Amino acid sequence: MNPDLSRERAAAFFSPESITHILDGSPERTRRRREIENLVINDPDFQNEDPNFLSRSERYELAVKKSALMVQKMRQHGISDPEEIYWYKRTCLGCRVEPLSLHFSMFQNMLEIQCEDSQREKWLLPAQRLHVIGTYAQTELGHGTHLRGLETTATYDPSTQEFILNSPTVTSIKWWPGGLGKTANHAVVLAQLYTQGECKGLHAFIVPIRQMGTHEPLPGVTVGDIGPKFGFDEIDNGFLSFNKFRIPRENMLMKFAKVEPDGTYVKPLSDKLTYGTMVFIRSMIVGDSARSLARACTIAIRYSAVRHQSEIRAGEPEPQILDYQTQQYKLFPLLAAAYAFNFVGSYMSQTYHRITGDIQQGNLSELPELHALSAGLKAFTTWVASAGIEECRMACGGHGYSRCSGIPDIYVNFTPSCTYEGENTVMMLQTARFLFKSFTAAQSGQQLGGMVSYLNDVSRQRVQAQAVAARSIEINDLNSLVEAYKQRAAWLVVGAARNVQSDLKRGKRKDDAWNKNTVDLVRATEAHCHYVVVKLFVDKLSEVLDTASHRILSTLCLLYALHGISKNTGDFLQAGLLASSQLEQIQQRVKDLLVVIRPNAVALVDAFDYSDTQLSSVLGRYDGNVYENMFEWAKKSPLNKTQVHESFHKYLKPLQSKL
């Protein structure tokens, strides 16, 4: 064990194990998670070659092999609980993704949620057994987040009781679905439904795309791989187009909407029910933001405790770079955000399952807020996490640029979440529409519940009065800070909404009035999401009974809240929530909190409980033995197989002989 890390762990005033139990939910869940993870860590079949030295084709083949092996091993071990499956796969994959990821997430989720009973009986078991391997084909070359613009068509033919799928333009080619290029034999395809001469909007269809057994594309189907990306080297993201391809009527997912044999269309109770899977995935992405940022923080903070650089005092030994205030200011707010997002992710998962249960009973009342909250928090957390992972990489100096640090893989595999499942700005504006509707409802006297209840009193005079009263906020009182974030959100939401209403009163068209104020609407949504995160972090503290754990988590929560104010001072000043003298106090308090967190930083990332297998990082090794292992990693480069590369004899030597 590196002596620096040993000293760091000994200096912490709390037990990392107790916080691990909080993050997991209970000591029993921690025990079971580790038991599942050790099945992978101790299995020689998963000691694979480092993929960093493989070609893309080799990485894809290795990923398919590992996916098949994971399925076989989980069957052998009897692992069937969804959470235990996730623990097992997460340990196998680290920060990487697998070609079957969309099959296990969106494809199966669509079958479970949007199939009627007879369809579930037909499709779900074959999908679980991987006889049917699926993906989710929504995005097209010309349209992504704007779903209404998708061009793929499914036209119903009552004479044969079939849907005819067609890709009428080059922009209608399905583009990006993971696993589509080479892996899947079926896809859930989103297409514009036409029946009885009318377009009924987007609906989902189960579409076979390859022959069972031979895996060759079916006649009328053009499918393949889209080529290398910024990351996701293991994934065969694909393209898909149809030329008058027919599928049976029963292949339309008919839980909520359906087409009768004669072509009669039966509409769903709510259009949003069709997008339930996207809400599910967006809720999952919030948790993934926490985990990806936590991994990056673990690597950067451990390495910062091991790395010695420059001098604080002339002539004295080089200090750990974690002793520099600037390094702490880079990393500790990100560490606090990782904890905050962890609790938000748990809340979103629990809320999704609770509201989904209500929907199954016919209660759709909370669906609009779930849809809006999942969209806004998906955007808010992925923006912060993506930027934070890159900040962690740069905080590791030059060595952070090496693939052996593990952070480049975390970044390139996480940052697409800022655009997939909804481009973030569009997601923010979806949430803004919900906030605007909520504001309008509150104006008419309707009482709001949930996370927008602060809009119940929407008169500008009242908001201003609350803002003036809020100037007495105590910067060390978390409940007071929650109130400040709430008032900031109210001030920005009310301001943006009134701007839209003013333009409407001046005769602007609704769409133009909206577009003219989208910058303000996105700011308001960000403030709303920021309030939700701070509130949920503070709420979580009430559940923490261990005194030492409560103390350090409260410190992290305070840092997260105060750092957020220091980065958004304009909003809080303009809203009249804080005086300039308080902002100076906040800036000083943030620096004071860095000092409190410093001796506990390594223990706080240890509490995330990521194994070296999951981190796949030389810099973030638990034992801290970085340099010798970095040298050993470098020697594995294929360029080192020979002392003289053949290119020397082909190109450089002839050049030298001519000089």
Side-chain angles (χ1 to χ4, degrees):
M1 184 68 67
N2 180 286
D4 287 319
L5 283 184
S6 295
R7 284 192 296 271
E8 293 291 333
R9 291 177 174 126
F13 65 63
F14 70 96
S15 165
E17 187 78 359
S18 64
I19 291 189
T20 301
H21 295 161
I22 294 168
L23 295 172
D24 283 332
S26 71
E28 173 56 28
R29 285 168 58 83
T30 297
R31 184 202 64 77
R32 180 57 178 163
R33 173 181 57 77
R34 288 174 177 167
E35 183 179 325
I36 295 293
E37 291 172 351
N38 283 330
L39 292 175
V40 178
I41 294 169
N42 298 325
D43 190 334
D45 288 340
F46 288 113
Q47 310 309 311
N48 292 314
E49 183 178 357
D50 190 328
N52 286 301
F53 300 124
L54 303 178
S55 69
R56 179 169 178 249
S57 181
E58 290 170 331
R59 289 179 73 141
Y60 168 71
E61 183 176 354
L62 180 61
V64 172
K65 175 184 175 182
K66 182 177 283 189
S67 292
L69 193 59
M70 283 192 298
V71 173
Q72 294 170 11
K73 295 282 186 177
M74 285 189 290
R75 288 173 179 171
Q76 291 174 15
H77 295 307
I79 299 172
S80 58
D81 177 79
E83 193 161 37
E84 293 186 358
I85 290 173
Y86 171 75
W87 292 336
Y88 191 89
K89 291 172 61 179
R90 182 180 71 178
T91 311
C92 290
L93 299 170
C95 67
R96 296 181 178 89
V97 286
E98 61 162 334
L100 294 176
S101 58
L102 279 189
H103 170 83
F104 288 121
S105 57
M106 298 194 77
F107 183 76
Q108 285 199 11
N109 185 267
M110 288 290 284
L111 299 184
E112 291 170 355
I113 292 179
Q114 301 212 32
C115 280
E116 61 180 5
D117 292 343
S118 61
Q119 292 177 316
R120 285 170 58 89
E121 291 177 9
K122 177 180 179 180
W123 294 104
L124 198 53
L125 187 58
Q128 291 169 343
R129 292 178 174 175
L130 289 178
H131 296 157
V132 167
I133 300 174
T135 186
Y136 180 76
Q138 172 179 295
T139 299
E140 298 173 355
L141 261 175
H143 289 93
T145 306
H146 180 55
L147 298 182
R148 291 194 300 276
L150 296 179
E151 299 175 85
T152 301
T153 60
T155 304
Y156 184 65
D157 180 357
S159 67
T160 61
Q161 294 192 25
E162 293 175 315
F163 289 101
I164 306 169
L165 274 77
N166 211 37
S167 304
T169 64
V170 66
T171 51
S172 69
I173 298 171
K174 295 296 183 182
W175 201 267
W176 279 114
L180 176 62
K182 295 295 177 184
T183 309
N185 55 32
H186 284 71
V188 167
V189 175
L190 259 66
Q192 302 287 357
L193 167 62
Y194 285 83
T195 184
Q196 296 179 339
E198 294 183 358
C199 180
K200 299 299 183 179
L202 278 181
H203 290 74
F205 302 84
I206 304 173
V207 184
I209 57 175
R210 289 183 168 97
Q211 292 278 4
M212 303 297 286
T214 67
H215 211 59
E216 293 287 340
L218 290 164
V221 173
T222 302
V223 62
D225 178 80
I226 66 171
K229 292 86 58 181
F230 184 49
F232 274 43
D233 290 329
E234 294 86 0
I235 301 298
D236 54 325
N237 297 85
F239 59 79
L240 174 66
S241 67
F242 301 103
N243 181 17
K244 300 177 181 178
F245 185 71
R246 288 177 174 264
I247 59 173
R249 182 183 70 89
E250 293 79 10
N251 281 33
M252 175 184 171
L253 296 180
M254 297 193 190
K255 171 74 172 181
F256 302 114
K258 63 178 62 179
V259 172
E260 300 289 1
D262 65 354
T264 301
Y265 177 71
V266 181
K267 67 179 182 179
L269 292 175
S270 169
D271 292 338
K272 288 187 170 61
L273 290 171
T274 308
Y275 308 128
T277 297
M278 284 183 289
V279 173
F280 168 68
I281 297 298
R282 288 167 188 165
S283 298
M284 286 182 60
I285 290 173
V286 175
D288 193 41
S289 298
R291 289 182 287 270
S292 298
L293 184 56
R295 284 196 294 266
C297 286
T298 299
I299 294 167
I301 287 174
R302 283 180 181 168
Y303 178 63
S304 296
V306 170
R307 179 76 172 183
H308 291 250
Q309 186 89 7
S310 302
E311 298 174 340
I312 292 180
R313 299 182 185 87
E316 292 191 2
E318 292 181 302
Q320 298 160 281
I321 60 174
L322 198 56
D323 285 339
Y324 289 99
Q325 187 186 67
T326 50
Q327 189 78 344
Q328 296 167 16
Y329 190 73
K330 291 175 186 176
L331 295 178
F332 294 173
L334 295 175
L335 175 62
Y339 270 90
F341 293 172
N342 183 284
F343 299 136
V344 174
S346 296
Y347 170 84
M348 285 302 298
S349 177
Q350 293 165 9
T351 301
Y352 171 81
H353 289 296
R354 177 179 60 79
I355 294 178
T356 300
D358 292 343
I359 291 171
Q360 298 301 320
Q361 302 300 318
N363 180 5
L364 308 182
S365 62
E366 292 188 81
L367 181 59
E369 179 165 14
L370 174 64
H371 187 271
L373 198 58
S374 65
L377 287 174
K378 179 267 181 186
F380 182 84
T381 59
T382 55
W383 267 335
V384 172
S386 181
I389 293 165
E390 174 66 355
E391 184 79 2
C392 287
R393 184 192 66 78
M394 292 188 289
C396 291
H399 291 332
Y401 190 64
S402 170
R403 293 286 284 270
C404 82
S405 74
I407 298 181
D409 277 341
I410 296 173
Y411 180 76
V412 298
N413 287 325
F414 176 77
T415 198
S417 62
C418 293
T419 48
Y420 66 55
E421 296 314 312
E423 191 277 330
N424 277 358
T425 300
V426 178
M427 292 295 93
M428 283 290 188
L429 289 171
Q430 281 190 12
T431 306
R433 289 190 185 279
F434 173 76
L435 294 173
F436 180 77
K437 289 178 181 178
S438 298
F439 169 77
T440 305
Q443 277 185 315
S444 66
Q446 181 179 330
Q447 281 295 112
L448 304 175
M451 291 293 182
V452 292
S453 58
Y454 61 81
L455 293 174
N456 281 324
D457 193 339
V458 295
S459 72
R460 181 168 290 279
Q461 293 76 18
R462 178 60 177 163
V463 171
Q464 289 175 337
Q466 289 174 328
V468 172
R471 288 184 179 176
S472 60
I473 287 174
E474 170 54 53
I475 65 172
N476 289 307
D477 186 310
L478 288 171
N479 290 321
S480 292
L481 294 175
V482 171
E483 181 66 20
Y485 273 90
K486 181 172 74 174
Q487 294 304 327
R488 172 204 179 205
W491 181 74
L492 284 169
V493 170
V494 169
R498 288 191 184 279
N499 288 342
V500 174
Q501 290 177 335
S502 295
D503 284 328
L504 290 172
K505 289 177 181 178
R506 285 195 289 268
K508 282 189 177 292
R509 292 174 52 182
K510 184 177 180 180
D511 293 341
D512 292 335
W514 183 263
N515 186 52
K516 182 175 177 289
N517 293 284
T518 49
V519 170
D520 293 338
L521 289 162
V522 169
R523 282 183 64 219
T525 303
E526 287 178 320
H528 173 73
C529 292
H530 211 163
Y531 156 66
V532 170
V533 174
V534 172
K535 180 182 187 305
L536 292 176
F537 199 164
V538 173
D539 288 348
K540 183 65 180 181
L541 294 176
S542 65
E543 302 174 18
V544 179
L545 302 180
D546 178 73
T547 302
S549 297
H550 189 280
R551 178 183 169 194
I552 191 61
L553 289 177
S554 295
T555 302
L556 280 177
C557 186
L558 188 60
L559 176 64
Y560 180 79
L562 293 179
H563 183 263
I565 293 175
S566 72
K567 290 297 183 181
N568 297 278
T569 53
D571 290 348
F572 288 92
L573 282 171
Q574 283 184 290
L577 292 166
L578 294 168
S580 58
S581 60
Q582 286 179 297
L583 291 176
E584 186 176 338
Q585 294 169 15
I586 286 171
Q587 291 165 358
Q588 182 57 50
R589 188 71 180 112
V590 166
K591 290 183 283 189
D592 293 341
L593 291 170
L594 301 179
V595 177
V596 178
I597 293 170
R598 168 63 188 88
N600 297 284
V602 169
L604 281 166
V605 296
D606 284 352
F608 291 132
D609 206 26
Y610 288 115
S611 66
D612 286 347
T613 298
Q614 292 167 319
L615 285 179
S616 299
S617 169
V618 174
L619 300 191
R621 293 172 59 94
Y622 183 83
D623 63 15
N625 296 320
V626 170
Y627 300 119
E628 51 269 62
N629 283 286
M630 194 172 184
F631 185 40
E632 290 301 315
W633 184 87
K635 288 191 287 186
K636 297 176 184 176
S637 170
L639 288 176
N640 292 324
K641 288 183 177 179
T642 60
Q643 287 299 319
V644 180
H645 195 268
E646 60 182 12
S647 61
F648 171 78
H649 298 288
K650 287 182 178 180
Y651 309 113
L652 295 180
K653 190 174 182 179
L655 182 66
Q656 292 171 341
S657 65
K658 294 178 182 179
L659 295 177

